[in-house]
Structures are given as structure tokens and as C-alpha cells.
Amino acid sequence: MELKEALLERNGLNIHYWTGGKAAAPPVIFTHGATIDHHEWDATLPKVGEHFRLLTWDMRGHGLSRPASFSLKHAVDDLLTILDQLQVQQAIFVGHSLGGNLHQELVFQHPKLVRAMVFLDCTWNFQKLSALEAFSLSIAEPIFRIYPYKMLVSQSLALTATSKAAQELLRPAMESLSKDEFIHILMESAACLHHEPDYRINKPLLLMVGDKDATGNIRRIMPLWAEREPNCRFIVIPNAKHAANLDNPDFFHQTLMDFLIGRCQ
């Protein structure tokens, strides 16, 4: 399947994005995880593109949308500007990890833009952290800075995916970053967290997590998040770490397509 590449020029930055799929169908927006890029969706887009219009992109500070300093707030604005440029009035959003955090901020600010949402291995923006979780977050940056950069990348890849093929797919994007960029993205991703005890997204939701995801508190918090949402399906993907779409692609794609075709066409 061919994708058309385009650029959003904002304040001297070039944000790269790609469109394709079934032109007259509802749009599905794919946003990648932290420190990687749009290539994580390479196997997914052709399947979804048979039924839906597609948009994928590299967030600022990632992939081809560099050099740029990542900011969650500015990345949300980037995506909103791309959607406006493409005249997208409502869409389905699929986000992995940081991409899902970005989508949570988007629906929090602009609920009318969202038809349905899929969150893969993503923490819940609106949770209240435990004292231990808050402490762990406060000491994360100095711990990251102790690591030699190659070790930091290697351990991140090992934590993200089980298969060597998946790790090698993700490696070029991670290794394109400097150590400072890498750590900045990880720490800036925490900017998504703000406790909103009464907030509900109140859209059709699919939450998926790898059964072996040991990243942060994701494996613990996703089922609690799912319980709070009135129109939500929660799925544990077997034999998968943080990039469950790459570790168990057949299970991920079947579950995703069942949701999209069953709930969103």
C-alpha cells in the first residue's frame, strides 16, 4: 500500500506525516511510542487501509521530524494542525505508549474530534500516582544519566520487545537520538500526568496491554483505567512486552480490526 508523504511546517520545524488508505472512509490516526517512529505501524497500516482512511506521523523530536525538542503540549498542537490541514472533523485514534498519552490529552481538550480510541501499552494520564510511583518518577532522570547511552538503548529495546526482528525494526529510530534527546523524551512524557478523579473519556475504547509489559505501571493501571470507562473493552495480549503489536502481531491485528470494523464503520 502506498502512502503519500507530506510536511507540516511550524515555527521552523518540519513535521512529517503520511496519508493513504480508503479515501472516503472514516479516518484512523496512528501515533507511535516514545523514542521510536511511524515505522512501528508498517505491518498494521495495509490491513487497516483496506477499510479506512489513514494518517500516521513522526512526532516532533522523533524519526524524520527532527531536529526538534519534544514537548507533549506542542506535539498535541502539531497533530491538531495536521488534522485541520486535512479537514478531518472526527477520527478514530490509535496510540501506542506515548502516542496514547498524546491522544488522551487531545480528547481531554477536544472531545468532538474523537469517534473512538485504541490505547496500546499506555499509562492512564488521569490517574493518581502512588507515593512509590511518584518517588520513582522523581529519581528517574539521574538514574538514566548514569547509564552509558548504548546500554540505555539496548535495555530499552529489550524492555520494549521480545523478538529480535521487532527490536531491529525499532533500533534505527532510537539510535538516531542523542542521549540528551532520548532522556528528554522519556522525562517529558511524564508531562501527561494530571489527576482528574471525575473525568471519563466516554467514547468507545479498546485498551490493550502485553502480558509481559514491565514498563512503568502500565500493566497494573490499564485494567483499573478500563473499569472507570463505561464503554471500554480491555484485552491482555499474550506473549508480548511493551510493543505488543510487534511481539504478537496476529493477535493485535485481529483484535484491532474486530474493534474498528465492529464499532467504527
Side-chain angles (χ1 to χ4, degrees):
M1 185 191 67
E2 289 189 15
L3 295 174
K4 181 181 178 182
E5 184 175 1
L7 285 177
L8 169 68
E9 298 183 19
R10 295 194 73 210
N11 303 319
L13 303 179
N14 289 324
I15 309 298
H16 289 248
Y17 66 92
W18 294 261
T19 57
K22 192 174 179 180
V28 182
I29 316 303
F30 287 85
T31 302
H32 60 81
T35 73
I36 55 179
D37 64 11
H38 73 283
H39 285 298
E40 78 157 299
W41 305 116
D42 284 354
T44 303
L45 298 181
K47 299 177 185 301
V48 178
E50 292 180 6
H51 304 274
F52 295 91
R53 180 181 172 193
L54 300 175
L55 165 66
T56 189
W57 63 308
D58 283 347
M59 288 185 282
R60 60 168 59 214
H62 295 76
L64 295 179
S65 300
R66 299 174 59 244
S69 178
F70 178 73
S71 155
L72 185 70
K73 177 182 182 300
H74 291 145
V76 171
D77 291 342
D78 293 339
L79 182 53
L80 288 169
T81 304
I82 292 170
L83 295 176
D84 184 63
Q85 190 168 284
L86 295 174
Q87 299 182 324
V88 172
Q89 297 182 343
Q90 192 176 56
I92 303 149
F93 293 81
V94 180
H96 172 220
S97 191
L98 176 59
N101 301 129
L102 186 150
H103 291 170
Q104 288 179 69
E105 288 307 297
L106 184 143
V107 70
F108 185 74
Q109 298 171 25
H110 302 277
K112 291 182 180 179
L113 271 174
V114 176
R115 180 174 179 177
M117 309 192 86
V118 178
F119 296 101
L120 173 66
D121 294 286
C122 170
T123 200
W124 181 23
N125 289 17
F126 312 114
Q127 66 185 283
K128 181 178 176 61
L129 293 178
S130 69
L132 178 59
E133 288 166 345
F135 174 73
S136 297
L137 185 61
S138 72
I139 63 172
E141 183 169 359
I143 290 175
F144 288 146
R145 294 206 174 274
I146 292 171
Y147 278 77
Y149 183 50
K150 287 186 177 180
M151 183 181 295
L152 187 60
V153 170
S154 294
Q155 292 198 359
S156 294
L157 286 167
L159 194 64
T160 300
T162 300
S163 75
K164 291 298 181 185
Q167 291 179 15
E168 292 312 307
L169 176 68
L170 303 176
R171 184 183 296 277
M174 285 193 185
E175 290 187 340
S176 72
L177 303 170
S178 69
K179 183 177 181 180
D180 284 345
E181 287 175 315
F182 195 97
I183 294 173
H184 173 76
I185 290 168
L186 295 181
M187 299 312 302
E188 177 63 20
S189 64
C192 71
L193 300 174
H194 52 102
H195 187 214
E196 307 288 343
D198 299 320
Y199 176 70
R200 306 290 187 277
I201 294 175
N202 278 322
K203 304 284 183 179
L205 302 183
L206 172 61
L207 273 60
M208 292 186 279
V209 64
D211 63 343
K212 296 179 175 62
D213 190 341
T215 306
N217 70 349
I218 293 171
R219 184 67 183 87
R220 181 187 73 82
I221 204 66
M222 284 196 93
L224 301 179
W225 171 14
E227 288 177 2
R228 292 285 297 277
E229 288 289 345
N231 192 6
C232 180
R233 184 182 182 200
F234 173 64
I235 298 292
V236 177
I237 300 179
N239 305 312
K241 290 185 178 179
H242 185 60
N245 54 323
L246 302 179
D247 271 344
N248 196 340
D250 291 342
F251 189 102
F252 169 75
H253 289 139
Q254 184 65 57
T255 306
L256 175 66
M257 295 309 299
D258 286 348
F259 177 79
L260 293 178
I261 293 173
R263 303 293 297 276
C264 304
Q265 275 197 321

